Amino acid sequence: TASCSMTPGQPEESTMSNVPAGAGIAWRLTSAWRSASSAANCQELSATNQTLRKLEEENNSLRSALAFRERAAFQLMPARVIARDASTWYQKIIIDRGSEEAIEPDMPVLTEEGLVGKTTVVSEHSSIVILISDENCRVSATVEGTRESGIVKGERAISGGVPTIGLGFLSKTANLQPGMNVYTSGVGGVFPSGVSIGKISTFKVRELDGYATLVPSVDLSNIEHVFVVVSERPPEAVVK
């Protein structure tokens, strides 16, 4: 990483006593030009360093994603988010894979961190993905370390805010604690079992059931790359 220590406007190590008479103005102009040039170089180096850091982060992220793809128990199709509307930010995204890439409706979509949602409308080279924070996306789930199971779905946000992701149909005696992990149960046939959904945030008893709110495993506000689960892989194909 390049560095620059000269402060803009700082004169070179010299004194006016060494400058010939009548040359003071020229010396100051030369010194100012050199300082300005040094400042410009510092700014350029700083911008270059920022670009290199960003590229390094992206490279590490891609390596991690590729490693996840290799060890996953599913056959995964990588996809990139190509469109997202502000009015439906927490409801859906559009990815750059479609029927020509063997994508079908109701295929799970995830990242290395956990579940994102599922495909709905599939076009030739793009697909709409409904997110787990949408009230129309329902996921059968279990809570780690318990016998509790329920349905995860988004709750409609008020005034365009961030929607709550809830886990309903729990027993009233569940008494779930913050930080407990929630995973897909595999019930229903759409989502495979064992995919991380999030962690318990709060729990309360309602009139008919127990209800918990979740902190999702995936940052749904910022999604750039995902994987579509196109099929399960035979056990011998999974990299340990």
Side-chain angles (χ1 to χ4, degrees):
T1 301
S3 63
C4 192
S5 60
M6 185 170 184
T7 303
Q10 177 183 347
E12 295 178 330
E13 291 185 2
S14 177
T15 63
M16 288 297 295
S17 61
N18 297 324
V19 180
I25 295 177
W27 180 86
R28 288 189 176 91
L29 289 174
T30 301
S31 179
W33 178 85
R34 288 177 177 174
S35 295
S37 178
S38 178
N41 288 336
C42 283
Q43 291 177 352
E44 184 177 349
L45 286 172
S46 178
T48 300
N49 287 338
Q50 290 179 1
T51 300
L52 290 174
R53 283 194 293 268
K54 184 176 181 180
L55 288 173
E56 184 179 7
E57 290 173 359
E58 291 178 352
N59 186 46
N60 290 337
S61 178
L62 287 173
R63 285 186 177 183
S64 179
L66 288 173
F68 168 70
R69 183 185 182 187
E70 290 297 318
R71 68 175 184 269
F74 329 107
Q75 184 178 346
L76 301 176
M77 172 70 70
R80 183 171 57 91
V81 177
I82 57 174
R84 195 170 189 178
D85 193 288
S87 63
T88 56
W89 195 262
Y90 288 99
Q91 282 73 54
K92 63 183 180 180
I93 57 177
I94 300 177
I95 60 174
D96 64 347
R97 301 290 185 179
S99 57
E100 286 296 307
E101 291 80 31
I103 304 301
E104 300 175 357
D106 286 336
M107 283 185 166
V109 178
L110 45 79
T111 68
E112 183 180 0
E113 287 74 32
L115 189 63
V116 172
K118 66 175 182 176
T119 57
T120 54
V121 180
V122 177
S123 302
E124 190 174 0
H125 292 292
S126 65
S127 300
I128 295 176
V129 176
I130 186 173
L131 304 179
I132 60 172
S133 50
D134 188 287
E135 61 182 331
N136 295 310
C137 184
R138 292 171 170 79
V139 185
S140 297
T142 59
V143 182
E144 185 180 34
T146 75
R147 294 184 177 181
E148 292 294 329
S149 61
I151 302 295
V152 170
K153 74 180 188 72
E155 306 291 346
R156 182 172 296 184
I158 300 175
S159 302
V162 179
T164 298
I165 300 177
L167 172 59
F169 301 101
L170 300 166
S171 69
K172 292 184 179 181
T173 58
N175 193 30
L176 302 182
Q177 301 300 313
M180 286 183 165
N181 294 311
V182 179
Y183 296 94
T184 54
S185 67
V187 175
V190 175
F191 301 98
S193 62
V195 178
S196 178
I197 301 175
K199 294 180 180 293
I200 299 295
S201 176
T202 64
F203 174 79
K204 67 179 181 180
V205 176
R206 302 190 294 193
E207 183 178 356
L208 299 177
D209 65 352
Y211 175 83
T213 59
L214 307 182
V215 177
S217 299
V218 178
D219 180 5
L220 299 174
S221 66
N222 183 26
I223 311 171
E224 296 181 354
H225 298 89
V226 297
F227 290 105
V228 182
V229 179
V230 294
S231 68
E232 292 191 10
R233 298 169 67 184
E236 61 272 14
V238 179
V239 176
K240 302 297 185 182

